[in-house]
C-alpha cells in the first residue's frame, strides 16, 4: 500500500477523534463540573459570588486565547500543539482533583482552559 492510500485511510479516524475531543472538551468537561458544583462548594467553601467564575473559568480562557493558539499552531505545528494541549489539560484536571482550596481549583480551571484552547482551535 502506498503512503497516499494509507493517509486517506486514516482521514476518517482523524476526523472522528477530533470530533470526540471537541465534544469532550466543550461539553463533557463543563458538564462534569456543573453537576458537581454543589459538592465542590461545600467541600472547598467557595463564596457564593465566585461560583459563576469557577464554572466559566475555562471557557473564559478559551475565548481569550483562541487567536494566540492559532498563531502558535502555525509556528510550531498543529500536531505538537495538540499533544501539548492534551498534556496540559490532563495535568490540570488531575491536580484539580486534589485541590486544597478555591484559589487552587480556580487556577487549575484557568490552566485547563488554556490547554483546551489548543486542541480545539489550534
Amino acid at each position: 500500500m502506498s503512503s497516499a492510500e494509507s493517509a486517506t485511510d486514516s482521514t476518517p479516524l482523524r476526523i472522528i477523534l477530533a470530533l470526540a475531543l471537541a465534544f469532550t472538551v466543550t461539553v463533557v468537561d463543563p458538564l462534569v463540573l456543573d453537576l458537581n458544583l454543589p459538592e465542590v462548594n461545600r467541600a472547598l467553601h467557595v463564596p457564593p459570588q465566585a461560583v459563576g467564575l469557577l464554572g466559566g473559568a475555562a471557557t473564559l480562557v478559551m475565548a481569550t486565547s483562541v487567536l494566540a493558539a492559532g498563531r502558535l499552531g502555525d509556528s510550531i505545528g498543529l500536531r505538537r500543539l495538540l499533544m501539548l494541549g492534551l498534556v496540559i489539560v490532563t495535568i490540570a484536571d488531575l491536580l484539580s482533583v486534589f485541590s486544597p482550596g478555591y484559589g487552587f481549583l480556580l487556577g487549575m480551571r484557568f490552566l485547563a482552559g488554556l490547554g483546551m484552547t489548543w486542541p480545539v482551535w489550534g
Side-chain angles (χ1 to χ4, degrees):
M1 184 183 311
S2 70
S3 63
E5 289 177 10
S6 64
T8 57
D9 290 342
S10 66
T11 300
L13 178 62
R14 289 181 183 179
I15 292 171
I16 291 169
L17 289 174
L19 290 173
L21 177 66
F23 177 78
T24 301
V25 166
T26 58
V27 175
V28 174
D29 183 73
L31 181 64
V32 168
L33 179 66
D34 287 344
L35 291 174
N36 294 312
L37 211 47
E39 186 61 34
V40 170
N41 288 341
R42 281 191 294 276
L44 298 179
H45 310 291
V46 178
Q49 64 273 18
V51 172
L53 181 59
L54 187 60
T59 306
L60 178 66
V61 172
M62 287 182 352
T64 58
S65 61
V66 68
L67 295 175
R71 179 146 172 104
L72 191 59
D74 290 341
S75 64
I76 69 169
L78 294 178
R79 178 173 280 168
R80 280 191 194 149
L81 193 62
L82 172 67
M83 297 307 291
L84 180 63
L86 292 175
V87 167
I88 289 173
V89 169
T90 302
I91 291 171
D93 285 346
L94 286 174
L95 290 174
S96 293
V97 172
F98 303 108
S99 294
Y102 170 74
F104 185 83
L105 180 59
L106 184 63
M108 290 302 103
R109 293 300 299 158
F110 282 133
L111 185 62
L114 183 64
M116 284 186 266
T117 301
W118 298 339
V120 176
W121 290 287

